[in-house]
């Protein structure tokens, strides 16, 4: 959608951004695997993920500042976004995003489990010996990753994260008045990374406890942060969604066994079995049965987290807001 009031400025794999006096974000129905969009027809995915993210931002607003600006769905209709966008739109603060993903892991599984078996550590952090697959960590750990404009994310250590943020600050900030610009930027970078670690652990502590009480384990989840116009750090992007987290049901969890994922792992496995790992020219066609199952799973997750039929009622309320505005 394009008009003189609100125009597109960025299109990612699953989200689109539009410029207003703030930023309008559309969460699409696309799904990415291995950093490639493999389908754009997971009906309701965008609305469900937007609903989950907004709810977690509301629940954690007193804990960690976030980018969300509260408006009704009719606000987006006034901007020219039609009925097909219902529930998928958010208004957020303009921020300069820190070029690091902060992934908090609460359980030893996936890539972390592979690393532990080979080296006894995960992203530079040594873990106790004798741990089992999927075992809950005594304390969650943060495994930062780069955010390249193209290609795959790369796991890095905390020290390397400080290096990345230092170079980023030297690019976006003026340190010409400092006697040692590099040292001044590194000092700020260490403070920013420390605050992001603090915020990430606080958010994970809340979200993981909230989910577990409702039958969902947050095995790991990703947080992204940015600087607002006043230089304050806020959490942005999606928060606590199946796209940004690895989820499992408490009922199926067992130490020593691979976690059964509630997120897009089934599609990841299908693509891998079809010989697709992101670098191939052709994307495999995802069977309708898998897409339908994923649609139901996403809605089921939202209902477990925020009340049975909560998402459906949310969509009805959004539609009613639009009808009242038209009336």
């Amino acid at each position: 959608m394009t008009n003189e009031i609100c125009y597109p400025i960025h299109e990612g794999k699953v989200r689109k951004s539009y410029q207003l006096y703030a930023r309008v974000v559309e969460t699409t129905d696309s799904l990415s695997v291995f950093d490639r969009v493999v389908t754009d027809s997971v009906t309701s995915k965008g609305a469900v993920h937007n609903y989950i993210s907004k709810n977690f931002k509301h629940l954690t607003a007193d804990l960690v500042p976030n980018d969300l600006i509260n408006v009704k769905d009719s606000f987006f209709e006034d901007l020219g976004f039609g009925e097909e966008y219902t529930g998928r739109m958010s208004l957020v603060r303009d921020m300069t995003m820190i070029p690091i993903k902060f992934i908090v892991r609460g359980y030893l599984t996936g890539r972390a489990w592979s690393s532990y078996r080979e080296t006894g550590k995960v992203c530079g952090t040594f873990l106790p010996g004798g741990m089992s697959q999927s075992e809950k960590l005594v304390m969650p750990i943060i495994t930062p990753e780069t955010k390249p404009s193209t290609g795959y994310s790369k796991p890095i250590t905390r020290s390397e994260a400080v290096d990345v943020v230092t170079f980023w600050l030297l690019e976006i900030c003026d340190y010409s008045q400092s006697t040692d610009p590099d040292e001044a930027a590194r000092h700020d970078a260490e403070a920013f990374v420390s605050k992001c670690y603090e915020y990430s652990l606080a958010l994970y502590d809340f979200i993981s406890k909230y989910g577990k009480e409702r039958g969902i384990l947050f095995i790991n989840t990703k947080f992204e942060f940015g600087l607002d116009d006043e230089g304050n750090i806020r959490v942005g992007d999606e928060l606590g969604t199946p796209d940004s987290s690895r989820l499992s049901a408490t009922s199926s969890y067992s130490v020593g066994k691979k976690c059964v994922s509630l997120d897009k792992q089934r599609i990841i496995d299908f693509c891998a079995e079809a010989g697709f790992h992101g670098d191939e020219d052709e994307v495999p066609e995802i069977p309708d049965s898998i897409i339908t199952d994923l649609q139901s799973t996403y809605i089921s997750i939202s209902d477990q987290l925020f009340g049975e039929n909560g998402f459906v009622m949310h969509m009805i309320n959004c539609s009613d807001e639009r009808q009242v505005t038209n009336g």
Side-chain angles (χ1 to χ4, degrees), residues 102-129:
F102 295 87
I103 300 171
V104 183
R105 301 180 184 275
Y107 297 81
L108 190 58
T109 188
R111 187 161 54 191
W113 168 241
S114 298
S115 176
Y116 173 76
R117 285 190 300 170
E118 293 175 4
T119 66
K121 57 185 179 180
V122 178
C123 286
T125 301
F126 279 98
L127 298 180

Side-chain angles (χ1 to χ4, degrees), residues 133-149:
Q133 183 178 21
S134 302
E135 186 172 345
K136 190 177 188 297
L137 301 175
V138 176
M139 293 289 291
I141 60 173
I142 297 177
T143 58
E145 293 186 1
T146 58
K147 287 171 56 178
S149 55

